[in-house]
Amino acid sequence: DLRKTVYDGGPFEKLPDSSLPPNAKEAFEHTPETLPQDGLSVTTVTKESLPPGTQLLYATPVSSPVFQITYCETVVPDDQCNVLKPAGHSCARDVLPQDCDALKSQGQECSCGTILYVGNDYVEHHSHTIGSSVWDEVLRAAVSVDKIGKRGLGEFTVYT
């Protein structure tokens, strides 16, 4: 389980380009090298609680306010889904990225995407205008990061 850091005073240093996720290097190329804690506006996650394979973009020795997680899910086989759905449960299940190849070899679908967490609340700078803080630069970079996986509708999208 992810654990929020009660308070990390920062500053938060950008990791070297060689450590950044490949899909984020270009987008974060011109972002600041250091991000400040701004009062209590930055919420970080303790590094030890992040799932395996999480890629940090900014961090302190204890926590990270900007990181990328690869998230994957599969759908349980039809016989199990037929039991789960009537009981109000989802047939989708979280899986670790490293398990996708094995699932696909067994004939099960597995779909992955990315979650890029930026832990600033943006309250101070956006009450009346679009902000121009260093955190705004990071947010703009985050939304321009190339996505991992197939473009278009999700693999499990079904219209009925």
Side-chain angles (χ1 to χ4, degrees):
D1 292 338
L2 296 179
R3 286 193 315 268
K4 178 178 91 167
T5 304
V6 174
Y7 176 77
D8 189 329
F12 309 102
E13 302 295 331
K14 183 163 67 169
L15 273 68
D17 284 348
S18 60
S19 298
L20 296 179
N23 65 318
K25 284 181 183 180
E26 184 178 337
F28 280 82
E29 182 178 15
H30 299 292
T31 58
E33 294 299 314
T34 303
L35 297 172
Q37 172 59 277
D38 189 12
L40 296 174
S41 65
V42 180
T43 301
T44 63
V45 176
T46 57
K47 293 190 317 190
E48 68 183 24
S49 74
L50 291 166
T54 298
Q55 296 176 297
L56 307 178
L57 286 90
Y58 286 86
T60 66
V62 176
S63 67
S64 176
V66 184
F67 56 86
Q68 178 175 282
I69 296 175
T70 300
Y71 171 80
C72 301
E73 66 179 28
T74 188
V75 175
V76 297
D78 288 342
D79 59 328
Q80 294 174 25
C81 189
N82 292 335
V83 174
L84 292 170
K85 264 195 171 178
H89 300 286
S90 171
C91 295
R93 292 288 175 257
D94 299 344
V95 295
L96 296 172
Q98 62 264 27
D99 295 339
C100 276
D101 287 339
L103 289 166
K104 287 180 179 179
S105 70
Q106 296 169 10
Q108 281 190 263
E109 296 176 358
C110 189
S111 179
C112 297
T114 53
I115 299 169
L116 209 155
Y117 176 83
V118 178
N120 190 288
D121 67 13
Y122 295 94
V123 172
E124 290 296 317
H125 303 287
H126 296 91
S127 59
H128 298 90
T129 62
I130 294 175
S132 58
S133 75
V134 292
W135 283 99
D136 292 303
E137 292 178 45
V138 169
L139 181 60
R140 286 184 185 95
V143 298
S144 68
V145 167
D146 288 335
K147 309 304 180 265
I148 294 176
K150 299 175 188 173
R151 295 205 176 272
L153 297 174
E155 192 169 325
F156 302 124
T157 302
V158 178
Y159 292 103
T160 55

